[in-house]
Amino acid sequence: MEIMYKQKAEPGKQCQQCQSFTVNPSNSAAGACFGKDVAAEGSCMFLKAKEANAEAK
């Protein structure tokens, strides 16, 4: 299956706003998603936005 990943996505639909994204501590513009390296501003078809309540904690 092709994941349909984009290196640059529109605001609100970026990896950095996804529940599965883990930021790279040495480079905030990069991170990981399920073991794959991704750009914080990227996106894919599996994006699931973080809940507003989870971010407030």
Side-chain angles (χ1 to χ4, degrees):
M1 173 186 352
E2 186 177 344
I3 295 175
M4 297 172 57
Y5 174 76
K6 294 188 245 179
Q7 286 284 349
K8 183 108 172 144
E10 63 187 82
K13 296 184 178 181
Q14 296 176 335
C15 293
Q16 61 194 340
Q17 288 126 1
C18 182
Q19 292 178 9
S20 303
F21 179 76
T22 304
V23 70
N24 180 331
S26 63
N27 179 3
S28 63
C33 183
F34 294 105
K36 303 287 183 188
D37 291 333
V38 296
E41 293 182 345
S43 188
C44 80
M45 61 194 213
F46 297 112
L47 181 106
K48 186 171 181 183
K50 295 176 183 173
E51 294 180 25
N53 292 339
E55 289 181 3
K57 291 181 181 179

